[in-house]
Amino acid sequence: MLVGYGILAGETVKVSSPGIVQISVFKEWDGNISGAVNTSTYLKSLGIPAVFHPVGYFLSETREEVRRQNMDALLFLAGHSTQPMIVHDETTPWGTPLDGQYEEAYKEAIRKITQYCPVSIENASNTLDVKRFWQRYASSITLDIGHVQAAGIDSETFVSELDSNLCNMVEFIHVHRANGPHYNGVTDHWGLTTNCKELKALKKFLKRNSNVKIILEIINKDDVRESLALIEEAVREVNYAHNTGN
């Protein structure tokens, strides 16, 4: 089990010896594809696995020129990937489940990316419908516990009731806390606190499937060390219970 955290493309890796690092590339912030690849190469030289997480490069995009730009970026990242690429679940532009040309565009993008690296699908756009989405499109799952809680779903109940086949498909877990609006109106991606709902949900999930990579995703980098320590303590607690049969 690896534990690490997320950074933005071009950011410096400040916390020493993470087990894994996620590099997020936001299209709306002009992306930084080359910076993401350079950081990935640097991490590889240190023996630290890096995961690319492109955001805003919609796989279901149907406008020809925008789709070409998106796919050029995604395939470039995929060609430099040593881990699965984490992408989001998606809806149509009006918020309904993918169908028709949007569904075909999403599936075709997945097919093209997986020629270079596996794809893991995260709940982000419509967590209320994500179980159906995963069943339809995913071969690997990224479970974002913070997004579950932010969607108004009890995260402990969600992980406890997740179908076994979906539970076993989870490869990455994103952890952060939902605590009301802060940066640009975002209601989650807060640092963790002792016994917060998301930490309890993480522990419940790890008792079902511990063969995962855990990635802390928070905005305030000053909270990274403390939040990582809480995750690592949760991992130790679960491992101890498993080893002692408790």
Side-chain angles (χ1 to χ4, degrees):
M1 189 187 316
L2 297 176
V3 177
Y5 57 92
I7 63 172
L8 298 178
E11 273 191 322
T12 303
V13 179
K14 295 181 179 179
V15 179
S16 61
S17 302
I20 190 168
V21 172
Q22 175 183 283
I23 306 170
S24 295
V25 188
F26 284 79
K27 184 179 181 181
E28 65 179 304
W29 298 339
D30 297 324
N32 189 352
I33 300 296
S34 59
V37 170
N38 289 341
T39 301
S40 169
T41 301
Y42 169 69
L43 290 167
K44 184 178 179 180
S45 73
L46 301 177
I48 300 171
V51 180
F52 291 127
H53 180 30
V55 179
Y57 297 87
F58 294 107
L59 279 64
S60 60
E61 177 62 64
T62 59
R63 293 170 295 176
E64 185 175 344
E65 179 58 23
V66 179
R67 181 170 181 79
R68 183 191 64 77
Q69 294 171 359
N70 287 355
M71 291 308 302
D72 283 351
L74 293 169
L75 295 178
F76 185 77
L77 289 175
H80 290 84
S81 296
T82 58
Q83 293 282 321
M85 179 185 292
I86 298 175
V87 302
H88 286 165
D89 65 314
E90 295 183 16
T91 66
T92 64
W94 46 93
T96 59
L98 294 178
D99 62 2
Q101 63 178 335
Y102 299 101
E103 180 176 35
E104 289 307 310
Y106 190 89
K107 292 193 294 186
E108 178 63 17
I110 293 288
R111 284 195 291 268
K112 288 184 176 180
I113 295 169
T114 52
Q115 292 176 5
Y116 299 91
C117 72
V119 172
S120 188
I121 298 177
E122 174 194 353
N123 56 297
S125 300
N126 186 7
T127 295
L128 294 174
D129 187 50
V130 78
K131 293 179 183 178
R132 181 202 64 83
F133 195 96
W134 282 333
Q135 289 167 340
R136 190 170 183 86
Y137 304 108
S139 57
S140 167
I141 289 172
T142 296
L143 169 60
D144 191 306
I145 293 175
H147 289 334
V148 170
Q149 198 67 36
I153 304 169
D154 183 272
S155 54
E156 291 185 80
T157 301
F158 185 92
V159 301
S160 296
E161 296 181 351
L162 190 64
D163 291 347
S164 295
N165 64 317
L166 293 179
C167 181
N168 292 334
M169 290 167 62
V170 174
E171 190 167 356
F172 299 95
I173 298 182
H174 284 169
V175 188
H176 47 93
R177 183 167 56 101
N179 189 42
H182 56 144
Y183 181 80
N184 284 351
V186 172
T187 60
D188 48 10
H189 295 284
W190 291 80
L192 304 179
T193 57
T194 303
N195 292 322
C196 65
K197 198 78 173 175
E198 293 81 358
L199 202 58
K200 292 178 180 178
L202 173 64
K203 287 188 280 191
K204 285 194 173 184
F205 182 86
L206 293 178
K207 291 176 181 177
R208 299 188 63 193
N209 176 7
S210 61
N211 187 29
V212 293
K213 305 174 185 76
I214 304 169
I215 298 171
L216 174 70
E217 271 197 330
I218 62 175
I219 292 172
N220 187 348
K221 300 307 180 186
D222 292 338
D223 293 337
V224 168
R225 290 184 185 276
E226 181 179 350
S227 294
L228 280 176
L230 290 172
I231 292 174
E232 289 163 354
E233 176 59 30
V235 170
R236 286 192 294 270
E237 181 180 324
V238 172
N239 286 340
Y240 176 80
H242 175 76
N243 292 335
T244 59
N246 295 323

